[in-house]
Amino acid sequence: MMRTRPLKVALLGCGVVGSEVARIMTTHADDLAARIGAPVELAGVAVRRPDKVREGIDPSLVTTDATALVKRGDLDIVVEVIGGIEPARTLITTAFEHGASVVSANKALLAQDGAALHAAAEEHGKDLYYEAAVAGAIPLIRPLRESLAGDKVNRVLGIVNGTTNFILDKMDSTGAGYQEALDEATALGYAEADPTADVEGFDAAAKAAILAGIAFHTRVRLDDVHREGVTEVTAADFASAKEMGCTIKLLAICERAEDGGSVTARVHPAMIPLSHPLASVRGAYNAVFVESDASGQLMFYGPGAGGAPTASAVLGDLVAVARHRINGTTGPGESAYAALPVSPMGEVVTRYHISLDVADKPGVLAQVATVFAEHGVSIDTVRQQGKDGEASLVVVTHRASDAALGGTVEALRKLDTVRGVASIMRVEGE
């Protein structure tokens, strides 16, 4: 039987995502009511610019006083899509204190203060859902948190930032340089006017922290995630990747150690074989691999950003939370029982592709090989080209720790036959 009293929803933010949430709530009102078991009513919209025309939204619902809105006391659900740390953090905790559950898309806040927000939700007996915080429309958080709750997840590997994937895909497919590819991404609306959060890896690192925490039942903060961006990736790197039968992607990698005693979370560019499914993820799309004991490999793929896709994830959470409100229950909260330590990047083991500028004379290769051996880094392949007294030496290693590789490179720079280290790239996905 349909409940007649509507569930009241407040919307914090009405930009690209928020406006789509409001539109879907209005145009799909009957379907949402049927799925939930009660109608949902947009009870208020907090914005910074109240004079802006917002099609389909009653102007009487618009306010600039977000604090007063979440303190009303009659709200069932607050949808937070304003982003950033403050005032979002205070508004969310205030919503819990005044009886509302929260649906958020705020990856930065959840990566930094997820534990405190979960604690506040639990204290007040409310839900905190945030599917839209990672990978847009792709169902990822709920499968990790619920569908795989009976399995042991060992690795999460994926492309979780559409802007950088577009840039790297353009560099790969056209031979464009980084700046040229970034300019095109900006012109098409894939990159912000200030693209720092995307191209320097901050966005992907926040998502990696959230995914690692859920996957490994361990609190992982943004500061725990090793981060490198794509600004130093060059056309020469792509040429080297192609020679190896690879391409380059910005990857978020969350791994459980082989002994199960610790986890790592990192974001950085990496070469991956063209045979790997992630190599074929083009444009601004996202894709994530989840590897677990029982289910093996699972791949989640789809649009990772944009108003409508992100709003789809928000509305999915809204329906789930609304059902809980009707039934007087809550969904799963934070699971951090494992409390595994997060290992530093120096302990991460992977393969490396190192390009060196060296003198073109006898004995150089032997010197370089000796340095690798002295630091316990095993060489897989070596390729050398040179003329007119100068040469390039490309070394691909077997698996080695980041610390060992760092010591190797430092020693290589001291050789008088090594003119410079042209590039270092991790090799993943094999």
Side-chain angles (χ1 to χ4, degrees):
M1 178 180 293
M2 176 81 69
R3 193 180 84 161
T4 57
R5 185 178 73 79
L7 293 163
K8 294 188 176 183
V9 178
L11 183 60
L12 307 182
C14 198
V16 173
V17 176
S19 60
E20 277 296 306
V21 171
R23 181 189 68 79
I24 295 172
M25 283 184 63
T26 301
T27 58
H28 294 181
D30 291 342
D31 285 339
L32 290 172
R35 295 166 192 172
I36 293 168
V40 289
E41 172 189 313
L42 188 59
V45 181
V47 299
R48 286 183 296 180
R49 293 178 293 172
D51 297 332
K52 181 180 178 180
V53 176
R54 294 174 173 84
E55 186 177 348
I57 296 177
D58 184 346
S60 68
L61 298 177
V62 176
T63 178
T64 58
D65 194 343
T67 301
L69 178 59
V70 299
K71 284 184 174 180
R72 278 177 38 164
D74 64 340
L75 299 176
D76 293 287
I77 302 169
V78 169
V79 175
E80 183 272 309
V81 287
I82 58 177
I85 306 302
E86 288 291 358
R89 173 171 48 197
T90 299
L91 291 171
I92 289 174
T93 55
T94 302
F96 291 142
E97 292 166 1
H98 288 79
S101 289
V102 173
V103 172
S104 176
N106 196 330
K107 53 189 170 287
L109 177 57
L110 288 158
Q112 178 171 307
D113 287 322
L117 294 178
H118 274 293
E122 183 177 0
E123 177 185 354
H124 296 285
K126 299 298 179 286
D127 275 322
L128 173 62
Y129 272 47
Y130 42 91
E131 184 67 64
V134 180
I138 305 171
L140 184 58
I141 288 177
R142 197 168 299 153
L144 280 173
R145 192 158 68 168
E146 300 178 29
S147 303
L148 296 175
D151 205 344
K152 179 184 177 184
V153 176
N154 296 310
R155 194 173 195 232
V156 180
L157 166 75
I159 298 164
V160 295
N161 182 273
T163 300
T164 51
N165 198 58
F166 177 89
I167 291 170
L168 295 176
D169 183 36
K170 185 61 61 174
M171 292 176 70
D172 185 29
S173 60
T174 68
Y178 165 75
Q179 189 61 51
E180 183 182 351
L182 173 60
D183 291 344
E184 183 170 350
T186 304
L188 292 172
Y190 293 128
E192 301 287 345
D194 179 1
T196 302
D198 293 319
V199 300
E200 294 291 357
F202 289 101
D203 175 85
K207 295 170 181 176
I210 294 169
L211 293 175
I214 297 171
F216 306 132
H217 305 279
T218 292
R219 287 176 179 169
V220 179
R221 291 171 50 90
L222 179 59
D223 292 344
D224 296 320
V225 182
H226 174 82
R227 174 192 55 80
E228 298 172 29
V230 300
T231 56
E232 301 300 319
V233 178
T234 66
D237 291 327
F238 274 100
S240 295
K242 287 182 178 180
E243 290 178 358
M244 290 180 58
C246 293
T247 188
I248 299 171
K249 297 291 186 182
L250 183 72
L251 298 180
I253 306 171
C254 311
E255 293 179 308
R256 188 190 299 268
E258 290 185 6
D259 64 4
S262 64
V263 299
T264 59
R266 51 195 165 104
V267 168
H268 55 71
M271 294 182 179
I272 58 172
L274 295 175
S275 58
H276 195 284
L278 289 178
S280 62
V281 177
R282 312 303 296 270
Y285 273 69
N286 285 188
V288 177
F289 260 87
V290 176
E291 301 174 6
S292 64
D293 279 359
S295 61
Q297 287 190 336
L298 305 172
M299 182 174 176
F300 300 83
Y301 170 82
T310 306
S312 171
V314 170
L315 267 295
D317 279 350
L318 188 147
V319 169
V321 172
R323 288 170 175 167
H324 298 160
R325 296 285 289 194
I326 291 174
N327 295 324
T329 62
T330 57
E334 182 189 34
S335 175
Y337 74 90
L340 296 171
V342 182
S343 296
M345 186 63 187
E347 297 179 15
V348 170
V349 175
T350 188
R351 299 179 65 209
Y352 290 87
H353 175 283
I354 304 102
S355 180
L356 304 171
D357 295 326
V358 300
D360 186 17
K361 62 182 184 180
V364 172
L365 180 55
Q367 283 185 319
V368 169
T370 297
V371 170
F372 276 88
E374 288 174 347
H375 289 81
V377 179
S378 175
I379 294 176
D380 182 16
T381 63
V382 178
R383 185 177 70 257
Q384 183 174 1
Q385 295 177 326
K387 63 178 181 179
D388 300 329
E390 298 296 327
S392 63
L393 189 66
V394 175
V395 178
V396 179
T397 74
H398 288 291
R399 289 172 62 82
S401 72
D402 191 79
L405 194 282
T408 303
V409 171
E410 184 176 350
L412 287 170
R413 295 183 192 275
K414 296 177 181 179
L415 294 178
D416 58 8
T417 53
V418 174
R419 309 293 192 229
V421 179
S423 68
I424 303 171
M425 186 78 64
R426 297 175 182 86
V427 182
E428 301 283 351
E430 292 185 311

